[in-house]
């Protein structure tokens, strides 16, 4: 019950505070909220925008949740997502039938970055927060290098790639919207992850390693191997998010293409209390906020920053409600170096 | 008039009475030793002295007036300084900066001149050579760091110095120097409270001794009246030895340690040259004062720490470097020291906690373990071990006694060939303690070999068929269980009989 209550209250708080902010900004709040509703959920197109925006948030939120449940404070979803975008573009713009492999390539790219962070953390004893955060910057600049260099469009005009080959584009399936099959992939990933984390052997081992690393070790679980698996699967999910974004929405790789989705996903995962089913709801909430604010910006001239501010309010209220459980999780930090 | 006097100090932690009506007085110029086993209440008493604990009942008198020491700073203002077992220095600070911490105006005046003056005053007051003012304390050895702490306690008006197990972390030569320094301080008029569990040190430095057991003063003596046997008996308790439920009927080797040397990464002390065989159908108890290698020994037997020499044999087969999974596969069950972090995952359900055993959980990794199915499977086993809570309840919601029952339900549910128990009843109430001991005896009678590592001598004597003593990382014994406690106590304290 509480799992649902906290996000709803957080959303309400965002509405109240947001209304105040709109009035302060000299905007008619009624018109703004009408526009928000149309953009987020009151129209067919709005629902589509919410779904499309929620998709990478969901996949990255699942990525974060998987790592956090295993006790790994992996904040590398952003970098892994960028790696996915890079690989999807590299393969998807190729002038060959292999372009159809853009999505698997994205997943692999994300997983590879996850594996690199795992090596750093589990073998070299680098704190995982540091390892994953630093890789985010590496990947951010790798994208910059790519769109100015080897992946730049043939025309060499803008810092962007050529369009993704048509065979690699994700089919759309709701007329009048941008909804693509990647939405289904993300929902499927949530179902699979729910099964893995809550109902499988390795899920129990992950949760044991996260809740009590010493107990997991004494139990004889292969903790180090399990954490490697968690890192790699987390990377795979975030990489998939990047691939879906490129092949389903943008159709090209741009400079700074993510907009911080991988970081927002940490909030999504926490808002969903690290449970795959609740993360679906949290991602929808964030997706609706984003889509609705984009509509407000278009229709009534609200600044795009306000959307981010509303998200911030939602997170802050949630954290106030849930500070206890989250602090618990942060306190029991298992260091990868101790794992065997 | 004594410099400091404690009258009727009583303090409880939850249901545990740590101190029960303790009186103690210390005069300037004397060394007053406080002797007792772990859990006797020494540390609590030290904390009362140092202002870390305000006792539930009783009075603290300083210079003939009642005071309330609410914080270490409070105590320091009255000239009471404490050196704890684990040093309280800021590692990234220099010696002089650490000395200056807590002095009036220290955060605002840390000029080199001020720091040098602080260091000079401390060096003059210190009975032992002080490390250089500009050395970072995390680059110093344990003994040197301790000297900084002692200097801080005695400089600038310090009149009473508490030393809590100060020699435990020192090399013999350093310990010698510290004992001499303690005498020298007393000669200069300092009052010293010297906490220890080593009889030899009492005889060497103390003017008077007070022995604590179970939170009460059980013996007092003054120099000239020290009798090692009496002190040892007072410390470990001369209670009539309870009869065991019946001796074991030992069979073949269940668990053996052969020339074992190991040091766990989180342990202050390793073990070396350990030779010990546990036959099936017997309980071998490892007695010893905490910090003498118990953690390393247990880690090597459990498999979390690979031996640096020798080997662990379980059921007659060398365990090699197979880790806890390998040790468990050879038939070892493990009831670890800290049930809250090693025994259980408190955030997981009871049913899930019963599966924190690689063998019981089984593979493959991607296999399904549906929550409802594991709860159903857990119910009868939890019931058999007297846990009435729902199998879906969080382990963290249970009391300590019930948590230990869950650990036993997992480890003993399928009777193992060998069992490692580390302080299995620490912190448990009487009923839970009796339950744990009965289960261990029952397992022994069913033919398991049990290795009991415990710092509770009563427990070792009550349960074990044979007793060995772990002291400074080495085993002595075996002693037959009829061995007088005073003799065991001396072996535990590291002294010759």
């Amino acid at each position: 019950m509480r799992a649902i209550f906290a996000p709803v209250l957080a959303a309400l708080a965002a509405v109240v505070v947001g209304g105040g902010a709109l009035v302060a900004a000299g905007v008619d709040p009624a018109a703004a909220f009408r526009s928000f509703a149309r953009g987020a959920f009151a129209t067919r197109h709005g629902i589509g925008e919410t779904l499309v925006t929620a998709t990478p948030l969901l996949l990255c939120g699942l990525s974060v949740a998987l790592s956090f449940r295993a006790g790994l404070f992996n904040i590398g979803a952003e970098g892994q997502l960028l790696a996915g975008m890079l690989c999807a573009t590299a393969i998807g713009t190729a002038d060959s039938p292999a372009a159809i492999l853009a999505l698997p390539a994205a997943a692999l790219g994300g997983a590879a970055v996850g594996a690199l962070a795992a090596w750093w953390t589990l073998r070299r004893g680098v704190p995982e927060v540091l390892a994953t955060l630093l890789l985010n910057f590496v990947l951010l600049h790798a994208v910059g290098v790519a769109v100015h260099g080897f992946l730049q469009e043939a025309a060499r005009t803008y810092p962007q790639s050529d369009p993704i080959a048509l065979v690699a584009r994700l089919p759309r399936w709701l007329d009048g919207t941008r909804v693509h099959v990647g939405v289904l992939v993300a929902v499927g990933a949530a179902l699979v992850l729910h099964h893995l984390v809550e109902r499988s052997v390795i899920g129990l081992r992950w949760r044991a390693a996260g809740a009590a690393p010493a107990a997991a070790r004494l139990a004889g679980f292969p903790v180090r191997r399990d954490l490697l698996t968690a890192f790699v699967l987390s990377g795979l999910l975030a990489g998939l998010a990047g691939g879906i974004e490129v092949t389903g929405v943008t159709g090209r790789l741009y400079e700074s293409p993510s907009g911080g989705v991988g970081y927002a996903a940490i909030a999504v995962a926490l808002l969903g209390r690290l449970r795959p089913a609740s993360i679906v709801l949290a991602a929808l909430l964030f997706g609706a906020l984003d889509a609705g604010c984009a509509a407000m910006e278009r229709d009534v001239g609200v600044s795009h920053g306000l959307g981010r501010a509303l998200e911030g309010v939602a997170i802050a209220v949630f954290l106030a409600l849930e500070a206890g459980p989250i602090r618990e999780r942060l306190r029991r930090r298992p260091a990868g170096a101790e794992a065997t | 008039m004594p410099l400091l006097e404690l009258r009727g100090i009583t303090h409880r932690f939850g249901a545990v009475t740590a101190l029960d009506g303790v009186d103690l007085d210390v005069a300037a110029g004397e060394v007053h030793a406080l002797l007792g086993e772990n859990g006797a209440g020494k540390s609590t008493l030290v904390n009362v002295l140092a202002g870390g604990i305000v006792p539930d009942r009783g009075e603290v008198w300083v210079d003939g007036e009642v005071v309330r020491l609410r914080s270490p700073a409070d105590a320091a203002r009255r000239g009471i300084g404490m050196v704890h077992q684990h040093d309280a220095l800021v590692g990234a600070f220099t010696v002089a900066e650490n000395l200056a911490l807590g002095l009036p105006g220290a955060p605002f005046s840390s000029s080199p001149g001020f720091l040098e003056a602080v260091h000079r005053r401390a060096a003059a007051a210190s009975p032992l050579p002080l490390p250089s003012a500009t050395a970072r304390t995390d680059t110093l050895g344990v003994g040197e760091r301790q000297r900084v702490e002692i200097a801080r306690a005695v400089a600038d008006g310090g009149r009473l110095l508490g030393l809590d197990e100060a020699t435990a972390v020192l090399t013999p030569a350093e310990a010698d120097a510290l004992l001499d320094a303690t005498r020298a301080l007393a000669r200069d008029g300092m009052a010293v409270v010297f906490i220890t569990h080593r009889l030899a040190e009492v005889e060497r430095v103390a003017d008077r001794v007070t022995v604590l057991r179970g939170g009460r003063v059980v013996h007092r003596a003054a120099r000239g009246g020290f009798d090692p046997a009496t002190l040892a008996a007072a410390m470990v308790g001369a209670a009539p030895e309870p009869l065991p439920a019946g001796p074991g009927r030992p069979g073949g080797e269940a668990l053996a340690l052969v020339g074992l040397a190991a040091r766990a990464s989180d342990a202050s002390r390793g073990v070396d040259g350990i030779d010990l065989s546990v036959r099936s159908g017997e309980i071998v108890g490892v007695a010893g004062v905490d910090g003498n290698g118990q953690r390393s020994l247990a880690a090597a037997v459990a498999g979390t720490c690979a031996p640096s020499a020798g080997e662990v044999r379980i059921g007659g087969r060398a365990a090699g470097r197979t880790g806890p999974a390998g040790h468990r596969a050879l038939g070892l069950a493990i009831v670890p020291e800290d049930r809250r972090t090693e025994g259980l995952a408190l955030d997981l359900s009871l049913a899930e906690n019963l599966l924190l055993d690689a063998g019981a959980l089984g593979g493959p990794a991607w296999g399904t373990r549906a929550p409802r199915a594991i709860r159903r499977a857990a119910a009868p086993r939890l019931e058999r071990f007297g846990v009435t809570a729902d199998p879906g309840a969080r382990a963290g919601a249970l009391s300590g006694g019930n948590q230990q029952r869950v650990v036993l339900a997992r480890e003993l549910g399928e009777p193992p060939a060998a069992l490692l128990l580390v302080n299995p009843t620490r912190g448990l109430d009487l009923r839970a303690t009796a339950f744990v001991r009965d289960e261990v005896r029952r397992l022994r009678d069913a033919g398991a070999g049990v290795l009991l590592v415990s710092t509770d001598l009563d427990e070792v004597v009550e349960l074990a068929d044979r007793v060995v003593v772990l002291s400074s990382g080495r085993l002595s014994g075996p002693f037959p269980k009829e061995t007088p406690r005073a003799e065991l106590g001396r072996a535990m304290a590291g002294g010759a009989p």
Side-chain angles (χ1 to χ4, degrees):
Chain A
M1 201 52 230
R2 212 166 147 219
I4 303 205
F5 175 71
V8 166
L9 198 65
L12 276 178
V15 168
V16 172
V17 175
L22 288 169
V23 172
V27 177
D28 172 17
F33 279 127
R34 265 197 307 277
S35 158
F36 181 94
R38 277 196 306 274
F41 51 81
T43 63
R44 184 186 177 87
H45 181 261
I47 291 171
E49 285 306 289
T50 292
L51 291 177
V52 166
T53 318
T55 296
L57 285 169
L58 173 54
L59 282 167
C60 290
L62 295 171
S63 158
V64 170
L66 166 56
S67 284
F68 278 32
R69 289 295 287 274
L72 295 168
F73 288 89
N74 172 359
I75 52 172
E78 178 79 2
Q80 292 147 11
L81 171 123
L82 292 172
M85 289 180 157
L86 260 182
C87 293
T89 310
I91 301 296
T93 54
D95 189 15
S96 88
I100 202 167
L101 295 175
L103 216 47
L108 276 180
V113 174
L116 190 58
W119 175 78
W120 241 356
T121 300
L122 302 175
R123 281 280 163 200
R124 310 299 308 165
V126 177
E128 74 271 19
V129 171
L130 198 58
T132 52
L133 182 66
L134 293 181
L135 283 171
N136 289 350
F137 297 121
V138 171
L139 268 299
L140 176 65
H141 293 295
V143 168
V145 168
V147 294
H148 283 101
F150 65 99
L151 282 181
Q152 193 176 13
E153 58 181 351
R156 300 266 158 204
T157 314
Y158 300 106
Q160 63 182 30
S161 72
D162 277 326
I164 302 291
L166 285 178
V167 288
R169 298 288 185 94
L170 294 181
R172 298 194 172 167
W173 56 280
L174 277 180
D175 290 337
T177 71
R178 297 197 290 162
V179 176
H180 49 71
V181 295
V183 175
L184 301 179
V185 173
V187 173
L191 290 173
V192 169
L193 200 66
H194 171 78
H195 176 82
L196 274 185
V197 170
E198 313 286 358
R199 305 170 56 87
S200 81
V201 169
I202 197 165
L204 180 54
R205 300 204 308 230
W206 281 330
R207 288 183 287 127
R217 241 184 121 200
L218 262 187
F221 296 158
V223 176
R224 200 194 283 249
R225 203 169 70 211
D226 290 345
L227 294 185
L228 170 67
T229 311
F231 261 121
V232 169
L233 279 184
S234 285
L236 186 142
L237 287 166
L240 199 55
I244 286 173
E245 200 61 7
V246 166
T247 57
V249 182
T250 63
R252 292 177 193 262
L253 183 63
Y254 299 100
E255 198 163 18
S256 308
S258 140
V261 165
Y263 296 118
I266 298 170
V268 169
L270 291 177
L271 201 57
R273 299 166 59 90
L274 307 183
R275 297 208 176 93
S278 313
I279 290 170
V280 173
L281 297 178
L284 281 174
L285 179 71
F286 270 56
L289 271 174
D290 258 10
C293 289
M296 281 198 296
E297 185 185 356
R298 238 178 7 250
D299 303 344
V300 293
V302 169
S303 81
H304 185 65
L306 188 55
R308 296 280 151 171
L310 294 185
E311 291 183 10
V313 170
I315 298 163
V317 172
F318 170 76
L319 290 179
L321 292 171
E322 298 292 317
I326 290 170
R327 202 163 42 232
E328 286 269 291
R329 282 182 193 285
L330 293 175
R331 194 162 40 78
R332 276 195 300 271
R333 258 188 46 79
E338 288 165 15
T340 308
Chain B
M1 182 174 63
L3 194 158
L4 176 124
E5 198 177 348
L6 303 178
R7 290 188 192 163
I9 300 289
T10 296
H11 195 72
R12 286 194 179 78
F13 295 108
V16 180
T17 304
L19 292 175
D20 190 358
V22 171
D23 298 328
L24 185 79
D25 65 282
V26 198
E30 77 163 345
V31 177
H32 193 142
L34 206 52
L35 187 68
E37 288 190 291
N38 270 75
K42 289 176 301 181
S43 293
T44 312
L45 197 60
V46 167
N47 271 316
V48 170
L49 278 178
I53 290 177
V54 178
D56 295 340
R57 275 211 302 277
E59 295 169 343
V60 180
W61 292 65
V62 176
D63 298 325
E65 60 177 285
V66 181
V67 298
R68 268 172 82 84
L69 302 175
R70 288 191 183 78
S71 69
D74 238 11
R77 267 194 294 279
R78 298 181 187 277
I80 300 172
M82 200 56 64
V83 176
H84 293 279
Q85 289 179 44
H86 302 287
D87 67 69
L89 297 176
V90 181
F93 282 13
T94 65
V95 169
E97 284 166 342
N98 270 292
L99 291 169
L101 279 178
L103 290 182
F108 306 108
S109 54
S110 55
S111 69
F114 173 79
L115 290 175
E116 200 172 304
V118 168
H119 186 261
R120 206 169 328 108
R121 284 206 304 279
S126 171
L128 291 161
L130 198 56
S132 129
T134 53
R136 267 175 62 134
T137 50
D138 56 7
T139 65
L140 302 176
V142 178
E144 290 175 305
R145 287 207 297 274
Q146 195 179 67
R147 290 174 183 194
V148 177
E149 290 214 280
I150 292 173
R152 183 163 70 181
V154 301
D156 292 314
R159 298 183 300 156
L160 185 145
L161 171 67
L163 293 170
D164 188 3
E165 303 273 6
T167 55
V169 292
L170 300 181
T171 64
E174 284 174 326
D176 250 9
L178 176 66
L179 295 175
D180 289 342
T182 306
R183 285 305 326 164
L185 281 170
R187 262 199 310 280
D188 293 345
M190 182 75 69
V192 182
V193 178
F194 191 93
I195 293 105
T196 186
H197 58 257
R198 293 188 178 145
L199 293 174
E201 294 176 354
V202 172
E203 292 178 43
R204 185 154 159 208
V205 300
D207 296 302
R208 286 191 290 159
V209 61
T210 294
V211 184
L212 282 181
R213 175 155 45 86
R216 292 165 188 263
V217 174
V218 291
H219 184 71
R220 294 181 201 274
R223 178 156 286 280
F226 297 158
D227 169 35
T230 313
L231 288 177
M235 183 164 77
V236 299
E241 287 164 21
L243 289 173
R249 292 181 300 280
E253 172 192 297
L255 173 69
L257 314 177
V258 186
L260 183 76
R263 175 159 179 184
S265 57
D266 59 346
S268 58
R269 199 192 286 273
V271 291
D272 198 8
I274 303 286
D275 283 297
L276 183 63
S277 170
V278 182
R279 290 163 293 174
S280 63
E282 75 166 346
I283 301 173
V284 174
V286 179
V289 176
D290 207 8
N292 275 283
Q294 283 90 347
R295 276 199 81 78
S296 297
L297 179 66
V301 174
T304 51
C305 150
S308 54
E311 66 176 11
V312 176
R313 274 207 310 263
I314 300 164
R317 289 158 67 185
R321 295 171 162 261
T322 52
H327 289 220
R328 283 178 179 278
L330 291 177
L332 179 73
I334 305 162
V335 177
E337 176 170 21
D338 187 346
R339 61 185 159 266
R340 298 176 60 82
T341 63
E342 300 172 312
L344 298 171
L346 296 185
D347 266 355
L348 301 191
S349 71
L350 303 185
E352 287 166 337
N353 269 289
L354 289 190
L355 292 176
L356 296 190
D357 170 349
L361 179 61
W366 312 108
T368 300
R369 293 291 178 278
R372 192 178 307 168
I374 64 173
R375 285 201 298 271
R376 232 187 349 253
R381 185 176 287 192
L382 289 171
E383 201 182 314
R384 139 95 176 79
F385 282 85
V387 182
T388 51
D390 184 85
R394 266 182 79 244
L398 300 190
S399 70
N402 277 330
Q403 287 176 352
Q404 195 70 323
R405 287 171 195 253
V406 175
V407 174
L408 292 184
R410 180 181 68 223
E411 301 297 331
L412 311 187
E414 299 288 335
L419 172 66
L420 167 69
L421 291 158
V422 186
N423 288 327
T425 62
R426 182 184 279 176
L428 300 189
D429 61 26
L430 291 174
R431 260 185 59 185
T433 298
F435 179 84
V436 170
R437 291 180 184 170
D438 286 347
E439 285 297 330
V440 172
R441 282 201 199 90
R442 192 200 304 251
L443 188 74
R444 186 263 320 262
D445 294 343
V450 179
L451 181 64
L452 167 70
V453 180
S454 177
T455 51
D456 178 349
L457 185 59
D458 288 337
E459 174 162 271
V460 172
V461 170
E462 184 185 331
L463 273 180
D465 298 304
R466 282 190 297 149
V467 178
V468 293
V469 170
L470 186 64
S471 174
S472 300
R474 290 181 173 273
L475 280 187
S476 55
F479 301 90
K481 63 177 299 150
E482 299 77 22
T483 308
R485 277 159 186 252
E487 194 179 317
L488 292 175
R490 274 196 298 276
M492 284 164 61

